[in-house]
Amino acid sequence: DARVTQTPRDKVTEMGQEVTMRCQPILGHNTVFWYRQTMMQGLELLAYFRNRAPLDDSGMPKDRFSAEMPDATLATLKIQPSEPRDSAVYFCASGSTSGGSETQYFGPGTRLLVL
Amino acid sequence: DAKTTQPTSMDCAEGRAANLPCNHSTISGNEYVYWYRQIHSQGPQYIIHGLKNNETNEMASLIITEDRKSSTLILPHATLRDTAVYYCIVRVASGGSNYKLTFGKGTLLTVNP
């Protein structure tokens, strides 16, 4: 049963520290998404990759957030420096554009608390 | 993407069918109806999607009206583990700039013993 994996599952850090979240997409999927979920805003798209190339990161605060895909099996989301307002659950999802219909499959999320 | 309207919450008795409605009156001809759910503290889970024909898989059935302006997700025999927020999302299947899943507030389905 192929699944998206995310690490760490929980992260507590202090304001100003760097946070790196990792995602392993489902093998063979060529799209990767980063979403953030808060009580106030719900689920928001932060970044989108297709074939490892970033196509949209308009949802990310550019000055502190960065997203990369070093290879097809790893996507990273980095926050530097972190702020209390970044506290949220961050979800990675992967999908495949083959077959004319794309379905996104989500990982379990990384719960981030910035103190 | 077309907007969707869902009830805020619904209750269902365990073992009974849960019928979750969704209105999408401004849906375009090339837009699909997707359903996801989110169980507490978990990531959203894909359930089913369809264009105009009714669809069924191991999780649920999707009934889309002939004019495509509304749909119903059916969980045939709801269990306590089906308690979750259910999201109805309308979007183009793939390609171009229509890759986003825009999540609304969804319907909180509570399955009662």
Side-chain angles (χ1 to χ4, degrees), chain A residues 9 33 35 37 40 43 45 48 50 55-56 58 91 97 100-108 111, chain B residues 32 34 36 38 41-46 49 87 91 93-96 98-103 105:
Chain A
R9 293 295 309 276
F33 305 79
Y35 290 84
Q37 186 172 36
M40 294 298 293
L43 271 158
L45 179 69
Y48 165 59
R50 181 184 294 166
L55 294 190
D56 184 1
S58 59
F91 291 105
T97 55
S101 177
E102 181 194 73
T103 297
Q104 296 179 24
Y105 296 90
F106 285 75
R111 188 181 307 271
Chain B
Y32 284 67
Y34 284 78
Y36 280 75
Q38 189 172 22
S41 297
Q42 297 184 21
Q45 178 188 22
Y46 165 76
H49 74 283
Y87 298 98
R91 52 157 273 188
S94 68
N98 297 305
Y99 45 80
K100 289 183 183 180
L101 285 176
T102 303
F103 289 83
K105 297 196 181 301

Side-chain angles (χ1 to χ4, degrees), chain B residues 35 46-49 54-62 73-76:
Chain B
W35 283 85
Y46 165 76
I47 300 173
I48 198 167
H49 74 283
N54 298 337
E55 302 287 342
T56 296
N57 63 19
E58 64 279 3
M59 290 183 68
S61 295
L62 174 60
L73 178 75
I74 301 173
L75 307 179

Side-chain angles (χ1 to χ4, degrees), chain B residues 48-86:
Chain B
I48 198 167
H49 74 283
L51 183 62
K52 51 185 174 182
N53 296 323
N54 298 337
E55 302 287 342
T56 296
N57 63 19
E58 64 279 3
M59 290 183 68
S61 295
L62 174 60
I63 308 298
I64 302 174
T65 58
E66 193 169 340
D67 63 8
R68 302 210 322 122
K69 293 184 177 182
S70 66
S71 60
T72 301
L73 178 75
I74 301 173
L75 307 179
H77 306 286
T79 71
L80 299 180
R81 287 178 292 182
D82 291 322
T83 293
V85 178
Y86 287 77

Side-chain angles (χ1 to χ4, degrees), chain A residues 33-53:
Chain A
F33 305 79
W34 284 102
Y35 290 84
R36 175 172 63 182
Q37 186 172 36
T38 61
M39 288 292 292
M40 294 298 293
Q41 300 295 329
L43 271 158
E44 309 171 276
L45 179 69
L46 297 176
Y48 165 59
F49 290 78
R50 181 184 294 166
N51 297 322
R52 295 178 55 203

